[in-house]
Amino acid sequence: MSEKRTILIRYDEIGLKGRNRKYFEKILLKNIRRSLPKDKGIEYRVPRGRILVDLPESAVEECTEHLKLIPGIASFSVGVSVEPDFDGMAALGVQWIEPLLTSRGKLKFCVRTRRSAKTFPHTSPEINFEVGSRIMTQLCPKGLVVNIKESEFTLEIEIGSKETIVFDNRHPGLCGLPVGSSGNVLCLLSGGIDSPVAAYLMACRGCRVHFVFFDNQPFLGRGGYEKVLKLAKSINRYQGRAKLFVVPFQDIQVAIRDKCREENRVVLYRRMMYRIADAIANEFEMPGLVTGESLGQVASQTLENLAAVTCVTSMNILRPLIAMNKEGIIRHAKEIETYEISIEPQPDCCSVFMPASPVTRGKIPILENDEERIALKELQEEALKNMETINVDYL
Ligand code: ATP
Ligand code: MG
């Protein structure tokens, strides 16, 4: 059998974007090229509405692992170029399906053909029938059934003028939009469970997500920083490179602790974080801030408190987790493999000087009155001046 393989990549929502389709397609192709190895003789083709990747058989496993992590791909299938005869096509189908039958009982399957070379002497339904019945002859006794509507294994055949390719069952992709198609955003990344999930969700909406971490070592030591760096690298598996801004936050926390009302501390910390994030996002042209806030999760995330932090900036505030419960967020975090990093021990920066009973309905005039007691502008400028910028790679 040929050593050459072809991976057929189907896009998610890109196909629906009318005249913008070319733009999204170009970005997705660039992202795919960037993720797949450069030295394996891989070639790309973009016939209408899909992407085809030609590669040696030896590179298939590595490439499929990469393709599973690229936002914007709906699904993909690995195909083998064959002689256009029914026996050969059916033999491949048997080879792929048979191992799935042993343990499962019944398996629903169908054959789907696309024929762009109209010179081939059979119609698509005829090809489906000829190949499908050959497979059934061999595998029906082992539990294979034909079911077009609810197929669990679809053998796809593409008959072109130059070659015939038979594709294995589809691998699901991440769906969403290709990273870069929606622009840049800045995610407030804390080291907890929530914010990495928020960053991932925005990457799947086509954003390149950069990160800002408010670091309060000496109180926490270097631990917080290392953990956030690890999280950023882990999220970058889905988007490639991004920047991580590390902002020293201890002076601000001390000032708020010493000068402001105790119950307002958490909301006041958050207002400072939003102001500083706003300044960074403006400088680097990132028209959106992303947070892992979820309504009602903790005292600082009531509607009133969220409003009291939102109003310090005119930026888009993107809160993809706002309506999710903790269980759902944890499930997501496990799926995207950030959970294990997030639960490594590290005290939350806001919990260092956590008030005994934090305010649940922060009043803006009272918060402003608190802020008049600290050197807000100077503290903010000092933090920005001492900020560290790191170009983060992926894990
Ligand atoms: P957890 O899983 O513990 O809830 P979290 O990251 O959601 O973690 P919260 O205290 O709920 O932590 O904070 C709400 C949001 O505020 C975070 O999701 C994050 O976007 C932002 N945030 C909080 N602390 C920091 C920090 N030290 N640096 C950057 N962003 C932070
Ligand atoms: Mg949270």
Side-chain angles (χ1 to χ4, degrees):
M1 200 181 294
S2 132
E3 292 299 302
K4 204 185 118 208
R5 296 289 180 269
T6 298
I7 300 181
L8 165 60
I9 296 171
R10 304 169 195 86
Y11 344 130
D12 192 35
E13 301 164 39
I14 308 179
L16 308 172
K17 294 279 171 186
R19 273 184 299 157
N20 281 338
R21 210 189 71 203
K22 277 263 162 298
Y23 166 76
F24 288 98
E25 207 172 69
K26 224 171 100 186
I27 295 176
L28 179 61
L29 182 62
K30 196 169 87 186
N31 294 349
I32 293 171
R33 277 178 189 274
R34 212 182 269 162
S35 315
L36 300 190
K38 311 278 177 294
D39 56 349
K40 301 274 165 74
I42 298 174
E43 286 172 26
Y44 300 85
R45 289 180 277 160
V46 190
R48 222 186 115 71
R50 12 265 197 92
I51 293 174
L52 293 171
V53 181
D54 297 311
L55 73 173
E57 203 272 328
S58 57
V60 166
E61 209 178 305
E62 183 182 353
C63 289
T64 53
E65 288 313 307
H66 285 295
L67 292 173
K68 285 178 194 163
L69 304 182
I70 301 178
I73 294 178
S75 68
F76 61 93
S77 313
V78 181
V80 181
S81 186
V82 295
E83 292 301 319
D85 76 86
F86 297 139
D87 289 337
M89 297 183 215
L92 261 180
V94 170
Q95 186 192 320
W96 287 329
I97 297 168
E98 199 167 18
L100 306 176
L101 290 169
T102 44
S103 58
R104 297 187 49 153
K106 292 224 175 306
L107 180 76
K108 298 171 197 157
F109 113 113
C110 73
V111 181
R112 215 171 263 152
T113 303
R114 241 169 105 127
R115 191 179 58 126
S116 54
K118 301 295 176 200
T119 48
F120 192 79
H122 296 275
T123 64
S124 298
E126 282 167 4
I127 300 164
N128 293 344
F129 175 78
E130 291 295 336
V131 176
S133 53
R134 279 168 171 78
I135 295 173
M136 281 304 283
T137 308
Q138 290 191 50
L139 299 183
C140 176
K142 292 190 173 172
L144 191 66
V145 291
V146 176
N147 188 328
I148 294 168
K149 283 216 175 95
E150 293 169 19
S151 172
E152 296 163 295
F153 188 106
T154 303
L155 189 77
E156 294 180 65
I157 300 171
E158 298 237 347
I159 302 190
S161 52
K162 293 202 194 84
E163 62 178 346
T164 296
I165 308 177
V166 180
F167 290 97
D168 200 344
N169 204 21
R170 298 181 178 201
H171 296 266
L174 286 185
C175 298
L177 298 172
V179 169
S181 62
S182 304
N184 291 301
V185 293
L186 182 62
C187 178
L188 284 74
L189 190 65
S190 68
I193 294 166
D194 304 332
S195 42
V197 176
Y200 164 81
L201 290 175
M202 294 317 297
C204 288
R205 289 322 296 163
C207 296
R208 178 165 307 281
V209 184
H210 302 276
F211 309 100
V212 57
F213 172 56
F214 297 93
D215 190 5
N216 58 357
Q217 59 121 352
F219 301 116
L220 298 184
R222 219 52 192 158
Y225 173 103
E226 301 296 343
K227 187 173 170 187
V228 161
L229 186 60
K230 229 198 260 181
L231 281 170
K233 282 186 183 169
S234 183
I235 297 159
N236 281 354
R237 290 180 302 138
Y238 302 95
Q239 62 166 5
R241 287 156 213 284
K243 286 188 193 306
L244 166 65
F245 304 96
V246 180
V247 179
F249 203 57
Q250 61 271 32
D251 292 348
I252 292 172
Q253 282 199 300
V254 168
I256 290 172
R257 179 194 64 183
D258 292 346
K259 305 268 171 52
C260 307
R261 291 178 183 82
E262 185 182 331
E263 69 272 19
N264 288 342
R265 272 181 202 165
V266 179
V267 181
L268 292 167
Y269 297 155
R270 219 39 74 70
R271 279 164 66 95
M272 287 306 284
M273 289 184 193
Y274 270 58
R275 288 191 183 97
I276 293 169
D278 171 289
I280 300 168
N282 266 315
E283 185 184 336
F284 288 88
E285 294 180 25
M286 301 167 179
L289 299 181
V290 180
T291 80
E293 286 156 325
S294 158
L295 185 61
Q297 190 186 79
V298 284
S300 60
Q301 294 169 31
T302 60
L303 280 179
E304 289 81 357
N305 283 348
L306 290 172
V309 295
T310 307
C311 66
V312 303
T313 158
S314 57
M315 275 276 164
N316 277 316
I317 304 296
L318 306 165
R319 297 182 171 115
L321 312 186
I322 196 70
M324 286 170 71
N325 64 14
K326 196 76 188 185
E327 239 173 72
I329 298 170
I330 288 175
R331 206 172 331 113
H332 254 297
K334 286 182 176 165
E335 269 166 29
I336 65 170
E337 295 176 8
T338 53
Y339 181 76
E340 292 301 324
I341 307 171
S342 292
I343 58 171
E344 285 172 19
Q346 171 225 350
D348 188 315
C349 114
C350 290
S351 67
V352 170
F353 307 125
M354 199 65 178
S357 52
V359 67
T360 52
R361 291 185 163 69
K363 299 274 180 301
I364 291 166
I366 298 177
L367 295 166
E368 285 171 348
N369 175 269
D370 269 326
E371 284 168 348
E372 280 163 18
R373 306 174 193 180
I374 60 171
L376 192 139
K377 276 267 165 292
E378 290 76 5
L379 283 165
Q380 183 177 325
E381 271 159 29
E382 192 64 18
L384 281 167
K385 207 173 75 197
N386 295 320
M387 175 175 88
E388 193 184 338
T389 305
I390 305 164
N391 288 311
V392 183
D393 224 320
Y394 42 90
L395 271 186

